[in-house]
mmCIF file of all heavy atoms in Angstrom:
data_model
loop_
_atom_site.group_PDB
_atom_site.id
_atom_site.type_symbol
_atom_site.label_atom_id
_atom_site.label_comp_id
_atom_site.label_asym_id
_atom_site.label_seq_id
_atom_site.Cartn_x
_atom_site.Cartn_y
_atom_site.Cartn_z
ATOM 1 N N VAL A 182 -86.785 28.964 125.271
ATOM 2 C CA VAL A 182 -85.973 27.762 125.319
ATOM 3 C C VAL A 182 -86.510 26.697 124.381
ATOM 4 O O VAL A 182 -87.694 26.677 124.045
ATOM 5 C CB VAL A 182 -85.913 27.174 126.749
ATOM 6 C CG1 VAL A 182 -85.202 28.132 127.695
ATOM 7 C CG2 VAL A 182 -87.319 26.873 127.260
ATOM 8 N N VAL A 183 -85.609 25.799 123.960
ATOM 9 C CA VAL A 183 -85.967 24.656 123.138
ATOM 10 C C VAL A 183 -85.332 23.421 123.745
ATOM 11 O O VAL A 183 -84.105 23.341 123.849
ATOM 12 C CB VAL A 183 -85.498 24.823 121.684
ATOM 13 C CG1 VAL A 183 -85.845 23.573 120.873
ATOM 14 C CG2 VAL A 183 -86.133 26.047 121.045
ATOM 15 N N GLU A 184 -86.164 22.463 124.152
ATOM 16 C CA GLU A 184 -85.681 21.223 124.752
ATOM 17 C C GLU A 184 -85.529 20.141 123.689
ATOM 18 O O GLU A 184 -86.288 20.097 122.722
ATOM 19 C CB GLU A 184 -86.654 20.730 125.830
ATOM 20 C CG GLU A 184 -86.879 21.708 126.983
ATOM 21 C CD GLU A 184 -88.086 22.606 126.783
ATOM 22 O OE1 GLU A 184 -88.564 22.731 125.625
ATOM 23 O OE2 GLU A 184 -88.560 23.194 127.774
ATOM 24 N N SER A 185 -84.568 19.245 123.894
ATOM 25 C CA SER A 185 -84.356 18.144 122.968
ATOM 26 C C SER A 185 -83.642 17.002 123.680
ATOM 27 O O SER A 185 -83.174 17.153 124.800
ATOM 28 C CB SER A 185 -83.541 18.591 121.750
ATOM 29 O OG SER A 185 -82.243 19.005 122.137
ATOM 30 N N GLY A 186 -83.548 15.862 123.020
ATOM 31 C CA GLY A 186 -82.800 14.729 123.547
ATOM 32 C C GLY A 186 -83.636 13.584 124.070
ATOM 33 O O GLY A 186 -83.086 12.531 124.414
ATOM 34 N N GLY A 187 -84.941 13.753 124.147
ATOM 35 C CA GLY A 187 -85.797 12.688 124.637
ATOM 36 C C GLY A 187 -85.973 11.589 123.602
ATOM 37 O O GLY A 187 -85.543 11.698 122.464
ATOM 38 N N GLY A 188 -86.624 10.515 124.024
ATOM 39 C CA GLY A 188 -86.863 9.403 123.129
ATOM 40 C C GLY A 188 -87.364 8.192 123.876
ATOM 41 O O GLY A 188 -87.656 8.258 125.072
ATOM 42 N N LEU A 189 -87.462 7.078 123.153
ATOM 43 C CA LEU A 189 -87.898 5.818 123.737
ATOM 44 C C LEU A 189 -86.682 5.081 124.283
ATOM 45 O O LEU A 189 -85.738 4.800 123.539
ATOM 46 C CB LEU A 189 -88.611 4.965 122.692
ATOM 47 C CG LEU A 189 -89.090 3.580 123.128
ATOM 48 C CD1 LEU A 189 -90.106 3.709 124.254
ATOM 49 C CD2 LEU A 189 -89.688 2.848 121.937
ATOM 50 N N MET A 190 -86.711 4.765 125.572
ATOM 51 C CA MET A 190 -85.585 4.131 126.232
ATOM 52 C C MET A 190 -86.027 2.885 126.992
ATOM 53 O O MET A 190 -87.180 2.770 127.403
ATOM 54 C CB MET A 190 -84.924 5.094 127.213
ATOM 55 C CG MET A 190 -84.408 6.380 126.590
ATOM 56 S SD MET A 190 -82.978 6.086 125.522
ATOM 57 C CE MET A 190 -81.766 5.567 126.736
ATOM 58 N N GLN A 191 -85.081 1.977 127.202
ATOM 59 C CA GLN A 191 -85.331 0.799 128.032
ATOM 60 C C GLN A 191 -84.911 1.072 129.468
ATOM 61 O O GLN A 191 -84.013 1.879 129.714
ATOM 62 C CB GLN A 191 -84.562 -0.406 127.492
ATOM 63 C CG GLN A 191 -85.054 -0.903 126.148
ATOM 64 C CD GLN A 191 -84.377 -2.187 125.729
ATOM 65 O OE1 GLN A 191 -83.247 -2.456 126.115
ATOM 66 N NE2 GLN A 191 -85.075 -2.979 124.936
ATOM 67 N N PRO A 192 -85.559 0.424 130.430
ATOM 68 C CA PRO A 192 -85.146 0.601 131.828
ATOM 69 C C PRO A 192 -83.667 0.289 132.003
ATOM 70 O O PRO A 192 -83.143 -0.639 131.386
ATOM 71 C CB PRO A 192 -86.018 -0.398 132.575
ATOM 72 C CG PRO A 192 -87.236 -0.534 131.719
ATOM 73 C CD PRO A 192 -86.723 -0.464 130.307
ATOM 74 N N GLY A 193 -82.994 1.074 132.840
ATOM 75 C CA GLY A 193 -81.577 0.888 133.092
ATOM 76 C C GLY A 193 -80.669 1.718 132.211
ATOM 77 O O GLY A 193 -79.473 1.836 132.500
ATOM 78 N N GLY A 194 -81.199 2.302 131.170
ATOM 79 C CA GLY A 194 -80.408 3.121 130.275
ATOM 80 C C GLY A 194 -80.173 4.515 130.820
ATOM 81 O O GLY A 194 -80.674 4.879 131.881
ATOM 82 N N SER A 195 -79.389 5.297 130.086
ATOM 83 C CA SER A 195 -79.090 6.677 130.465
ATOM 84 C C SER A 195 -79.418 7.605 129.309
ATOM 85 O O SER A 195 -79.354 7.215 128.146
ATOM 86 C CB SER A 195 -77.617 6.832 130.851
ATOM 87 O OG SER A 195 -77.302 6.065 131.993
ATOM 88 N N LEU A 196 -79.742 8.837 129.646
ATOM 89 C CA LEU A 196 -80.151 9.811 128.650
ATOM 90 C C LEU A 196 -79.665 11.194 129.059
ATOM 91 O O LEU A 196 -79.619 11.509 130.252
ATOM 92 C CB LEU A 196 -81.675 9.808 128.540
ATOM 93 C CG LEU A 196 -82.352 10.444 127.332
ATOM 94 C CD1 LEU A 196 -81.925 9.742 126.049
ATOM 95 C CD2 LEU A 196 -83.864 10.352 127.500
ATOM 96 N N ARG A 197 -79.286 12.002 128.081
ATOM 97 C CA ARG A 197 -78.899 13.375 128.349
ATOM 98 C C ARG A 197 -79.785 14.315 127.550
ATOM 99 O O ARG A 197 -79.785 14.295 126.321
ATOM 100 C CB ARG A 197 -77.438 13.632 127.994
ATOM 101 C CG ARG A 197 -76.937 14.990 128.482
ATOM 102 C CD ARG A 197 -75.465 15.194 128.190
ATOM 103 N NE ARG A 197 -74.815 15.907 129.270
ATOM 104 C CZ ARG A 197 -73.597 16.433 129.207
ATOM 105 N NH1 ARG A 197 -72.875 16.293 128.109
ATOM 106 N NH2 ARG A 197 -73.089 17.062 130.253
ATOM 107 N N LEU A 198 -80.539 15.133 128.260
ATOM 108 C CA LEU A 198 -81.419 16.102 127.647
ATOM 109 C C LEU A 198 -80.721 17.447 127.528
ATOM 110 O O LEU A 198 -79.872 17.785 128.349
ATOM 111 C CB LEU A 198 -82.697 16.269 128.474
ATOM 112 C CG LEU A 198 -83.452 14.982 128.827
ATOM 113 C CD1 LEU A 198 -84.694 15.317 129.633
ATOM 114 C CD2 LEU A 198 -83.806 14.205 127.572
ATOM 115 N N SER A 199 -81.095 18.218 126.516
ATOM 116 C CA SER A 199 -80.515 19.537 126.300
ATOM 117 C C SER A 199 -81.600 20.596 126.254
ATOM 118 O O SER A 199 -82.734 20.324 125.863
ATOM 119 C CB SER A 199 -79.721 19.582 124.994
ATOM 120 O OG SER A 199 -78.630 18.691 125.026
ATOM 121 N N CYS A 200 -81.241 21.795 126.642
ATOM 122 C CA CYS A 200 -82.138 22.944 126.621
ATOM 123 C C CYS A 200 -81.333 24.125 126.121
ATOM 124 O O CYS A 200 -80.385 24.554 126.784
ATOM 125 C CB CYS A 200 -82.690 23.192 128.027
ATOM 126 S SG CYS A 200 -83.463 24.794 128.285
ATOM 127 N N VAL A 201 -81.691 24.643 124.954
ATOM 128 C CA VAL A 201 -80.959 25.751 124.356
ATOM 129 C C VAL A 201 -81.770 27.040 124.460
ATOM 130 O O VAL A 201 -82.940 27.070 124.088
ATOM 131 C CB VAL A 201 -80.628 25.469 122.875
ATOM 132 C CG1 VAL A 201 -79.896 26.657 122.266
ATOM 133 C CG2 VAL A 201 -79.781 24.210 122.761
ATOM 134 N N ALA A 202 -81.134 28.076 124.960
ATOM 135 C CA ALA A 202 -81.750 29.390 125.062
ATOM 136 C C ALA A 202 -81.053 30.338 124.099
ATOM 137 O O ALA A 202 -79.822 30.397 124.070
ATOM 138 C CB ALA A 202 -81.661 29.925 126.487
ATOM 139 N N SER A 203 -81.817 31.077 123.323
ATOM 140 C CA SER A 203 -81.225 31.963 122.332
ATOM 141 C C SER A 203 -80.758 33.294 122.917
ATOM 142 O O SER A 203 -79.949 33.977 122.310
ATOM 143 C CB SER A 203 -82.219 32.234 121.203
ATOM 144 O OG SER A 203 -83.403 32.846 121.694
ATOM 145 N N GLU A 204 -81.247 33.630 124.089
ATOM 146 C CA GLU A 204 -80.918 34.904 124.707
ATOM 147 C C GLU A 204 -79.446 34.975 125.104
ATOM 148 O O GLU A 204 -78.904 34.050 125.704
ATOM 149 C CB GLU A 204 -81.785 35.154 125.944
ATOM 150 C CG GLU A 204 -83.259 35.386 125.649
ATOM 151 C CD GLU A 204 -84.027 34.104 125.433
ATOM 152 O OE1 GLU A 204 -83.452 33.010 125.632
ATOM 153 O OE2 GLU A 204 -85.209 34.186 125.055
ATOM 154 N N SER A 205 -78.828 36.120 124.811
ATOM 155 C CA SER A 205 -77.422 36.303 125.141
ATOM 156 C C SER A 205 -77.189 36.470 126.637
ATOM 157 O O SER A 205 -76.059 36.365 127.103
ATOM 158 C CB SER A 205 -76.857 37.510 124.384
ATOM 159 O OG SER A 205 -77.539 38.702 124.742
ATOM 160 N N THR A 206 -78.258 36.723 127.396
ATOM 161 C CA THR A 206 -78.167 36.887 128.839
ATOM 162 C C THR A 206 -78.392 35.584 129.599
ATOM 163 O O THR A 206 -78.624 35.600 130.803
ATOM 164 C CB THR A 206 -79.176 37.936 129.335
ATOM 165 O OG1 THR A 206 -80.495 37.574 128.914
ATOM 166 C CG2 THR A 206 -78.839 39.312 128.787
ATOM 167 N N PHE A 207 -78.313 34.456 128.919
ATOM 168 C CA PHE A 207 -78.512 33.143 129.531
ATOM 169 C C PHE A 207 -77.681 32.978 130.796
ATOM 170 O O PHE A 207 -78.157 32.438 131.800
ATOM 171 C CB PHE A 207 -78.157 32.053 128.517
ATOM 172 C CG PHE A 207 -78.168 30.651 129.076
ATOM 173 C CD1 PHE A 207 -79.360 29.987 129.284
ATOM 174 C CD2 PHE A 207 -76.973 30.012 129.379
ATOM 175 C CE1 PHE A 207 -79.376 28.696 129.782
ATOM 176 C CE2 PHE A 207 -76.972 28.721 129.875
ATOM 177 C CZ PHE A 207 -78.174 28.059 130.081
ATOM 178 N N SER A 208 -76.451 33.454 130.768
ATOM 179 C CA SER A 208 -75.548 33.283 131.895
ATOM 180 C C SER A 208 -75.952 34.088 133.128
ATOM 181 O O SER A 208 -75.371 33.895 134.198
ATOM 182 C CB SER A 208 -74.114 33.645 131.494
ATOM 183 O OG SER A 208 -74.030 35.004 131.092
#
């Protein structure tokens, strides 16, 4: 897996992180 989407945020904000898996059997 490869995670992404993080960063520097201020309190009260919203963030969406992603995790991509290359395997075709992910499901």
Side-chain angles (χ1 to χ4, degrees):
V182 295
V183 178
E184 300 94 342
S185 63
L189 178 61
M190 301 291 293
Q191 292 187 332
S195 296
L196 197 61
R197 190 177 217 192
L198 308 180
S199 297
C200 165
V201 179
S203 60
E204 292 81 7
S205 61
T206 56
F207 173 78
S208 61

